[in-house]
Amino acid sequence: IAIVAIALTLSTLFVPSKIPSTSELVPLYSLSDAKKFKSPKDLIDSASEGLHGEVRLATSETIVGLDDDGYAVYKLPAYTVPGKKFSNYPVKGAGIALTGDASQSESNYDKLIQFFTVNSFKRVMSNKGGNTNFSDNTEVPLLYSAIYKSKDIFCTVWRADISKVKPATQMTSVGCADTDSYITASSSIDPFYVAYSKDRERNVEGLVFGTPFIANSADEYRRATLFQETTDSTSFIGLYYQTPNSSTWNYFGRETTKSGELTACSAYTAPEIKKAFKGLECYDTTAKKNTTVQ
């Protein structure tokens, strides 16, 4: 859930704005002629050539790549797979970040913008300002960010002031994922979208999903948790369950994405709900501490 929370903030604090002048270059080719790369990692390797600073690599490669210290290295954009009624994040991606002073960070960001421009990637979105979670408990200023795409690969570039973590330091990052990863993720999300959409009073327009985390529970019940975001930027962790001998997922409820804000244990009262979510973290309002569903 911590990883999802960081991803949420990185993906929702985009305010459309003008980005540095180098981003105003006109692409040399149409989108169909964008340079092809064998993989997101191959693109990252090419894009990071000529950049300077301390290299930061991710050891956790989900919606947000985290390093060994739990700090965000890169983020991945959401995408709507053709034919789907929702957007989603990919299963995995690749990325890199470089830290340095403000001048070095600005140069790195401009070079990345130039890289995507001259390789005819389409700029989907550009932003200036805002804040973002750099770790589970550290928020930092997000200076600039942009999203680029070709037919096969989607990328996010961002620059942040991380002086709260390391004095006089900024970070420039690029993260990418390919369409196959989005398609794979969307297929796994389909049954959860169906379950969530069953209630006609529930707004299903513009939903964004992360990939589900599925676990076995007591007496052959199963449960799943996955990140969800609505058009008004409300976000939460959706809670779903399956009963024994059934392939249908049922929507139970939600948890906020902020650290420590769990569903009250008293919400898990029905016998089948207790079995489905046994062992899941919850908040004991009487003892005023986190525990698990019993």
Side-chain angles (χ1 to χ4, degrees), residues 182-202:
Y182 286 96
I183 292 170
T184 298
S186 70
S187 295
S188 69
I189 292 164
D190 279 334
F192 299 98
Y193 174 78
V194 170
Y196 188 76
S197 303
K198 285 181 179 178
D199 186 339
R200 293 184 179 180
E201 295 182 1
R202 198 170 287 136

Side-chain angles (χ1 to χ4, degrees), residues 50-67:
L51 302 186
H52 300 284
E54 180 184 347
V55 174
R56 304 296 293 268
L57 299 175
T59 54
S60 172
E61 300 179 348
T62 54
I63 297 173
V64 171
L66 302 179
D67 63 16

Side-chain angles (χ1 to χ4, degrees), residues 15-33:
V15 180
S17 178
K18 186 179 179 66
I19 56 178
S21 59
T22 50
S23 68
E24 300 303 319
L25 295 170
V26 177
L28 301 179
Y29 313 102
S30 68
L31 182 61
S32 61
D33 289 327

